[in-house]
Amino acid sequence: MPSRPLKPFHITREQARRIWLRAQRLDSREPFGEGPEATAAAVAHLGYVQIDTIAVVERCHHHILWNRIPTYSRAHLQHAHSVEKSVFEYWTHALSYIPAQDFRFFMPAMKRHKAAPSSWFGTVTPADMNKVLRLIRKEGPLSIRDIEDDVLVEKEHPWASRKPSKRALQHAFYSGTLTISARAGMVKTYELTERHFGWENRPRQATERQVNDYVLDRALKAQGIVSLDSICHLDAKRKPAVREHIEARMKRRMLVPVTIEDGEAGEHWAAPETLDALPEAGEPLVHILSPFDPLIIQRKRLKLFFGYEHRFEAYVPRNKRVYGYFALPVLLGDRIVAALDLKADRAKGELLIRQWTDVAGAVSAGERAAIDAELERFSAFQFAD
């Protein structure tokens, strides 16, 4: 006899926010402890930490970790990446730091790239590929700056490089032959993947079914309540397979359908243990968030849970901006109360507030004082060694 469908679990938007904040570890002061071990633990819990080139304030990968590790230092991520090797770089919805223990789940994507390279980086000839691999095998890790004899070629794609060696490095990276062994700002150093990790043999490649389970589990851990959009962010092709996994888990009572407040929010699911003890309101911590923070990057989900529609306006004409060129949302407790357009003036060692926008009504004097204190801490982080 077929099992009866699970009755949806109804929660308020406030409860949904608290579940998400708990999953993101933004509702406690030191959820991962201190030191390099905290950095590896944070990446392992979040599943990935996005890397971005924009440096108006601190780059987003450092910013995301700093918000969850009060004593975070850039050297901690360097240690986890290049010394401990507990994280590695690869593509999720963007280039990201990922737990090294999850490498096997990205091997199918590497295999697909090797079979059908992306046109983004331009054509690579066998001679160019052999050249960079031979150099790395013989001389050890290198960056594109270490190769000075390239003859420039025409671009075939706006994102392609005119340097054949850079194209070869990028293709070898996405196919998994090379890994990024170190990073200085946006300058990447490449190494043979097996040599970097000290592997005699690679991990066993995950099957597509295992990858879909991994993607679902990763979202449940870092989001608490999930939807197909939130699980498959910028990966719509995966949605049908992930839905099958969700339905299979519901049959086994491993997932519960969730409706949020008015029932018009679309389909959501959570693990039963997530709903057994809904988080209570805690200390109203202040977080100045990167626009690429996992809490902010999925704009529709952010608006649904928080009633706040973030605008990333770096590419919007000045006269059409609302929050400013590089606005950072300010989280106070479980509310987003302001958006601050900040810029780090590194020559003067000053954090500039170019625009302050209240987005949740008037900010009280006490709330403003708490935000100012966090701004002081954020400023110190910008200019720390």
Side-chain angles (χ1 to χ4, degrees), residues 10-41:
H10 299 277
I11 61 173
T12 67
R13 290 181 195 275
E14 183 179 30
Q15 289 170 327
R17 288 197 299 272
R18 290 176 183 170
I19 290 172
W20 192 11
L21 290 171
R22 174 65 52 81
Q24 279 291 305
R25 298 299 189 260
L26 289 169
D27 64 344
S28 58
R29 288 195 179 276
E30 291 185 320
F32 300 108
E34 299 180 350
E37 296 79 10
T39 295

Side-chain angles (χ1 to χ4, degrees), residues 223-257:
Q223 298 172 12
I225 297 173
V226 300
S227 66
L228 276 178
D229 282 342
S230 76
I231 301 164
C232 305
H233 181 50
L234 300 183
D235 190 11
K237 292 181 180 179
R238 194 174 294 279
K239 286 183 178 181
V242 170
R243 177 177 280 280
E244 289 183 9
H245 287 247
I246 290 170
E247 291 173 352
R249 291 196 190 189
M250 283 198 294
K251 288 179 181 178
R252 300 196 302 272
R253 299 303 197 255
M254 296 172 64
L255 283 180
V256 178

Side-chain angles (χ1 to χ4, degrees), residues 132 136 142-144 165-173 178 190:
V132 299
I136 293 173
L142 59 76
S143 76
I144 189 59
S165 294
K166 185 172 182 179
R167 294 183 178 191
L169 289 170
Q170 290 170 324
H171 279 287
F173 167 71
L178 299 178
Y190 295 86

